[in-house]
Amino acid sequence: MAVTQQLARIPAEYLASCRRRADASEEGDHLWDPPSTDVLDLDWAPFLLKRVGELGGLDDLRRRALQMALDGDTAIDLAFLATEPHAIGPFGPTPTALDAAQVARVAELLGQIDFPALLAALPADEAEAASLIGNNAGLIAAGGLRRYALRHFDALRDFYGGASQRQLLVVLWWD
């Protein structure tokens, strides 16, 4: 099984209940199981999306928002989600999260990004664009680099938009 980035949009109360369950359990079992409709699998797209933003000339404010959307923040302590034997992301770093205010700001800024324009700034040749992006972009971008990147960016933007509308947190991890 490949390690890919996962995001879940959840109410603050759900995270608090998972923390309480982990504290009450001898094994630290938090019973993490957000609804599948509120989970997004970004595959290996995060590096590619960040790199397209950088190469496409995305301004600093929106580039930082994209990075935050993909990296989260460490202000919310999620160590209980990374404790074995019930770790949700045992193959990556400790999960991170964005609170509802951060989610709203990130959603607003993601909505302002013209991702097709960023993709248009890449070399027209797919192999050349993939080489410029690096990190085996040509191998991971099933269906073509631009289509793969746009599909994942749109999913990310829509996911954050939905989380913002519902005033939810977003938790990120690699699994």
Side-chain angles (χ1 to χ4, degrees):
M1 176 184 238
V3 178
T4 61
Q5 188 175 41
Q6 309 292 309
L7 292 85
R9 50 189 177 200
I10 58 168
E13 299 79 23
Y14 179 77
L15 187 61
S17 71
C18 287
R19 187 182 312 273
R20 284 191 302 273
R21 287 191 296 262
D23 289 344
S25 168
E26 287 183 25
E27 292 184 335
D29 190 354
H30 40 70
L31 300 175
W32 174 263
D33 190 23
S36 61
T37 55
D38 284 320
V39 175
L40 175 64
D41 182 342
L42 272 184
D43 197 38
W44 296 306
F47 173 81
L48 192 147
L49 297 177
K50 289 179 205 175
R51 189 75 171 125
V52 168
E54 178 185 319
L55 293 169
L58 189 60
D59 66 275
D60 286 344
L61 179 65
R62 285 158 194 78
R63 191 171 39 79
R64 283 193 303 276
L66 179 59
Q67 183 170 345
M68 184 173 261
L70 297 167
D71 294 342
D73 189 9
T74 58
I76 298 174
D77 178 15
L78 298 178
F80 74 95
L81 291 176
T83 303
E84 294 296 339
H86 303 287
I88 66 169
F91 305 111
T94 299
T96 59
L98 298 178
D99 65 30
Q102 290 171 309
V103 166
R105 183 65 176 144
V106 164
E108 175 188 352
L109 292 170
L110 289 177
Q112 297 172 8
I113 295 174
D114 183 354
F115 207 77
L118 298 176
L119 290 169
L122 296 175
D125 179 72
E126 191 90 358
E128 189 179 339
S131 177
L132 190 59
I133 290 170
N135 207 31
N136 293 317
L139 299 176
I140 66 170
L145 177 67
R146 285 171 176 77
R147 182 177 300 141
Y148 177 89
L150 183 59
R151 183 177 73 237
H152 284 85
F153 176 79
D154 287 347
L156 180 70
R157 184 196 58 225
D158 294 347
F159 187 83
Y160 271 95
S164 175
Q165 289 173 347
R166 295 166 51 203
Q167 298 179 343
L168 299 175
L169 309 176
V170 171
V171 175
L172 305 91
W173 71 99
W174 287 87
D175 187 18

